[in-house]
Every structure is written in structure tokens, then in C-alpha cells.
């Protein structure tokens, strides 16, 4: 026969009631979350990721409330168990917030894909959400660890003594944490002002590539030859760089060629037009051939063509360059750039009258 007058018996009964109430409340919460996920597709990802932390938060919170009714003796054992439950609840809440932030980021990425032709808005949203979510995760984890440590009396005393002498200590910590804090602040600036976005085409340190990832401290740029360039976030705030897709992915590409002055330009312009019309990379905006430079040997031509993005522009420029060179070699081979020399008649007569093996002077004109 149980003695309900005994304090430990009442405490055990309270714990059992708390656990049963936790199970009922958890079922109710799951039903409400499922209905929310059905009505709001974006919320389905949040519900799926937040389910595991909730499974830990609810029983820990109920047990912590039940421990308020625990007997006073032995106080050391009860206080120790209550402290462990409190730290576990703080960890579970931190886990819950981090999972919710990650679920929000995943939902935004899912409903705003960047594998589209016009993905400027999607890239802007993904960049903001990714950078801000990573920053929020770091802040949440740091706060969770700080709150958990402050539950220990020794840590609280250390914190109080540190605040009492926070002059030099704060300065030293600030100097030591300058790179971390600088990148953290730079990440917030990038998220708000967006000098770069996910999938932007950039030139950094002389390397052409696309922004593959933006973390809380660095940016990963995928170079055209599959290498990865890791750049601190602070670099994009303090140093100049090229962004080819800041407002639009459309771009102009130029092809520079040298030909003889005698080459007629109208047939070459017609050939350029034909090459562009046959190329799927051309977006039908710009197709121009101009003489942009000249010297004593030849003239320099520039074929200016347009494409929807930098990748197509590279392919189109290669096709135009190969096509124009092939056209000139086939139709006007005499006008390819070359060095020419002309022998004057007087020199020829002198050479004819000179004895064998005599030195000859040739006047060359390029």
C-alpha cells in the first residue's frame, strides 16, 4: 500500500502525472503543427525540423516544474538533478531555435530556386536569408552556451570579477576577437546591401568564378576550372572587385582580331551577322563589327556581341573568333596579317652585277 502522505511518494506521483500530461500535450501540439503544415507549405519544413527538439523540450519543462514539489531532503541531490534538467532544457531550447532558423532558410531556398533564367530576385532573397540565418545561428549558440554556463555558481563569480576589471580585459578580448567580429559585421552588411549574392559572377584576385556559398565568416567562389577560392567576408567590404551580375546577367563580349588594310569589311560584317544568328548563345541584342585600332602593319577589328550570361558569352566569343578567322582564310587569304618585303629595281640590278658571294643590301618595307 502506497503511503501518499510520504513526501517522496507524492513527488513520484507528481512526476508520473507530469509525464502523462507531457504525452497528451505533445499529441495535441503535433496535431496543431500538422494542420499548420497542411495550410502553409512553407511551414512544413519548419515543423519537420522542429519536431525533434520539441520532443525533448516538453518533457524537460514538465519535469522541471515537477521538481518544484520535490522534498527538501536530501537537498543536494534534488538541487543537482534540477540543475541538470535546467541545463538540458537550455540546450534543447537552443537546439530548437537553431533548427527553426535552418528550416526557414531551407524553405526560402526551396520556394525561390536560382536555377531559372531570371533569378535575380531569388538570388537576392537567398543571400539575405543565408547570411542572416548563419549569423543568427552563431548568436543563438553563443547565447545558449552563455546562459548554460551562467547557471554554474563558479562561472557567475568569474563573470562578476571579470566585469569588475573589464578595462584591459575587455580591450584584450576585443582585439583578439576583431577578425571574428569584423566578419560577423561584414556578413550583416552584405546581407543588407548585397554587393554580392549567391550565384553572382565575380572576378576576385584576378580569378573568374561564381559565388557558390556565403557562410557567416567566408565566401566560397567556384572558379571556372572547378577550383574553390575561399575569401573572408570582410574582403568584399574593404576591397574592390568585379560583379558581372549585380543588376542583370546580360553581358557584352568582344572579339579582337588583326587583319590587313585591304580586307573589305562589309562581307566580314555579313559573316558576323550570320554566325550570331546561327549561335543559340546570342540574345539578339548587339552584333557589331568596328575598326578600333591600327598601326603600320594592320588594322584591329572588334566584334561586339551580346549574351544572356557570362557563360554563354564565352562560348559565343569563341564561335565568332573561329568563324571569322575561317571566313578570312577561305575567302580573303591574301589579307591575313603578315610581314611583307619589296625589292626595289636598283637593288635588283646591283645584285645582278655584283660578283658571287658579295654582300647584298636589301631595303625592306613592312
Amino acid at each position: 500500500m502506497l503511503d501518499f502522505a510520504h513526501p517522496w511518494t507524492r513527488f513520484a506521483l507528481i512526476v508520473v502525472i507530469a509525464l502523462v500530461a507531457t504525452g497528451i500535450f505533445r499529441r495535441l501540439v503535433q496535431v496543431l503543427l500538422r494542420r499548420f503544415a497542411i495550410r502553409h507549405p512553407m511551414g512544413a519544413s519548419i515543423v519537420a525540423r522542429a519536431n525533434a527538439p520539441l520532443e525533448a523540450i516538453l518533457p524537460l519543462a514538465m519535469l522541471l516544474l515537477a521538481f518544484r514539489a520535490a522534498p527538501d531532503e536530501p537537498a543536494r541531490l534534488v538541487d543537482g538533478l534540477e540543475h541538470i534538467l535546467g541545463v538540458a532544457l537550455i540546450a534543447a531550447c537552443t537546439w530548437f531555435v537553431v533548427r527553426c532558423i535552418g528550416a526557414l532558410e531551407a524553405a526560402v531556398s526551396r520556394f525561390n530556386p536560382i536555377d531559372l533564367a531570371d533569378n535575380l530576385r531569388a538570388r537576392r532573397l537567398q543571400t539575405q536569408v543565408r547570411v542572416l540565418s548563419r549569423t543568427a545561428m552563431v548568436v543563438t549558440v553563443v547565447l545558449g552556451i552563455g546562459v548554460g554556463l551562467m547557471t554554474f555558481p563558479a562561472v557567475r563569480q568569474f563573470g562578476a570579477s571579470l566585469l569588475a576589471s573589464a578595462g584591459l580585459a575587455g580591450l584584450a578580448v576585443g582585439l583578439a576577437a576583431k577578425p571574428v567580429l569584423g566578419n560577423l559585421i561584414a556578413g550583416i552588411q552584405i546581407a543588407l546591401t548585397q554587393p554580392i549574392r549567391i550565384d553572382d559572377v565575380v572576378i576576385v584576385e584576378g580569378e573568374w568564378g561564381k559565388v557558390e556559398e556565403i557562410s557567416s565568416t567566408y565566401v566560397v567562389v567556384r572558379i571556372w576550372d572547378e577550383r574553390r577560392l575561399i575569401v573572408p567576408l570582410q574582403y568584399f567590404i574593404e576591397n574592390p572587385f568585379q560583379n558581372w551580375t549585380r543588376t542583370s546577367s546580360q553581358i557584352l563580349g568582344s572579339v579582337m582580331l588583326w587583319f590587313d588594310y585591304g580586307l573589305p569589311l562589309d562581307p566580314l560584317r555579313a559573316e558576323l551577322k550570320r554566325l550570331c544568328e546561327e549561335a543559340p548563345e546570342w540574345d539578339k541584342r548587339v552584333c557589331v563589327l568596328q575598326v578600333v585600332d591600327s598601326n603600320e602593319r594592320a588594322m584591329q577589328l572588334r566584334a561586339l556581341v551580346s549574351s544572356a550570361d557570362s557563360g554563354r558569352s564565352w562560348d559565343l566569343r569563341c564561335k565568332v573568333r573561329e568563324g571569322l578567322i575561317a571566313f578570312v582564310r577561305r575567302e580573303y587569304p591574301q589579307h591575313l596579317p603578315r610581314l611583307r618585303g619589296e625589292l626595289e629595281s636598283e637593288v635588283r640590278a646591283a645584285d645582278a652585277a655584283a660578283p658571287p658571294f658579295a654582300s647584298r643590301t636589301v631595303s625592306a618595307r613592312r
Side-chain angles (χ1 to χ4, degrees):
M1 181 71 65
L2 294 176
D3 185 8
F4 291 100
H6 195 279
W8 283 102
T9 304
R10 290 199 304 269
F11 174 65
L13 183 60
I14 291 174
V15 170
V16 172
I17 294 174
L19 292 177
V20 172
T22 300
I24 297 173
F25 185 64
R26 185 175 60 186
R27 290 292 182 88
L28 180 62
V29 170
Q30 287 178 348
V31 171
L32 294 176
L33 290 178
R34 286 173 184 170
R35 291 184 178 179
F36 173 76
I38 293 174
R39 294 180 179 179
H40 302 83
M42 186 175 289
S45 176
I46 300 177
V47 171
R49 295 201 179 196
N51 187 50
L54 280 176
E55 295 287 337
I57 290 176
L58 294 177
L60 287 173
M62 296 300 291
L63 286 174
L64 199 60
L65 290 176
F67 262 78
R68 298 296 181 182
D72 296 332
E73 295 294 338
R76 192 168 184 179
L77 175 63
V78 173
D79 291 342
L81 292 175
E82 189 174 2
H83 184 221
I84 293 174
L85 288 175
V87 173
L89 182 60
I90 292 172
C93 291
T94 304
W95 182 24
F96 173 77
V97 175
V98 170
R99 292 296 293 268
C100 287
I101 295 173
L104 179 62
E105 176 190 343
V108 172
S109 301
R110 178 185 174 187
F111 287 95
N112 296 275
I114 60 177
D115 54 348
L116 302 174
D118 186 10
N119 59 0
L120 183 61
R121 178 179 177 276
R123 290 190 291 111
R124 182 172 64 249
L125 287 175
Q126 284 204 24
T127 300
Q128 287 180 333
V129 172
R130 285 193 187 187
V131 176
L132 293 178
S133 64
R134 304 291 169 82
T135 305
M137 286 181 185
V138 172
V139 172
T140 301
V141 172
V142 171
L143 289 178
I145 294 174
V147 173
L149 291 176
M150 291 301 290
T151 60
F152 294 90
V155 176
R156 284 202 303 267
Q157 293 176 3
F158 175 74
S161 62
L162 185 63
L163 289 176
S165 58
L168 295 177
L171 180 60
V173 172
L175 292 175
K178 182 182 177 181
V180 177
L181 296 177
N183 281 321
L184 190 65
I185 296 173
I188 297 175
Q189 287 181 277
I190 287 175
L192 297 178
T193 60
Q194 294 196 338
I196 57 171
R197 293 177 292 263
I198 298 295
D199 209 42
D200 265 347
V201 177
V202 295
I203 295 182
V204 182
E205 297 293 322
E207 299 283 359
W208 181 97
K210 286 188 176 183
V211 177
E212 185 177 51
E213 180 185 353
I214 301 179
S215 71
S216 57
T217 56
Y218 60 86
V219 176
V220 179
V221 180
R222 187 179 73 249
I223 309 301
W224 64 272
D225 56 1
E226 301 299 329
R227 290 177 294 145
R228 264 57 175 183
L229 184 66
I230 311 300
V231 187
L233 279 174
Q234 210 166 354
Y235 176 92
F236 294 95
I237 301 298
E238 299 177 349
N239 299 282
F241 62 95
Q242 295 185 37
N243 188 338
W244 289 12
T245 53
R246 180 69 177 87
T247 57
S248 174
S249 61
Q250 294 178 339
I251 192 170
L252 297 178
S254 60
V255 176
M256 312 301 292
L257 298 169
W258 288 92
F259 289 119
D260 188 78
Y261 284 107
L263 177 68
L265 297 181
D266 289 339
L268 201 61
R269 288 193 174 98
E271 178 66 13
L272 174 63
K273 186 69 173 179
R274 186 189 68 82
L275 291 172
C276 290
E277 290 176 348
E278 292 181 355
E281 296 84 2
W282 186 50
D283 63 358
K284 299 178 174 55
R285 289 190 300 120
V286 179
C287 179
V288 178
L289 181 68
Q290 296 172 318
V291 179
V292 294
D293 197 4
S294 62
N295 58 23
E296 70 278 5
R297 301 178 185 177
M299 59 180 174
Q300 187 180 38
L301 306 181
R302 183 185 69 180
L304 197 63
V305 292
S306 60
S307 298
D309 54 57
S310 57
R312 293 186 178 92
S313 177
W314 174 265
D315 295 335
L316 179 60
R317 289 165 59 196
C318 292
K319 289 183 178 180
V320 167
R321 186 181 295 108
E322 294 173 5
L324 292 180
I325 292 175
F327 174 77
V328 174
R329 290 182 61 185
R330 184 178 64 251
E331 302 294 336
Y332 304 97
Q334 69 276 16
H335 296 308
L336 291 171
R338 66 184 66 187
L339 295 178
R340 296 177 299 181
E342 294 183 3
L343 297 176
E344 298 181 358
S345 58
E346 294 81 358
V347 176
R348 292 179 182 176
D351 288 343
F357 308 107
S359 60
R360 301 181 180 182
T361 302
V362 177
S363 175
R365 184 177 59 198
R366 294 180 178 178

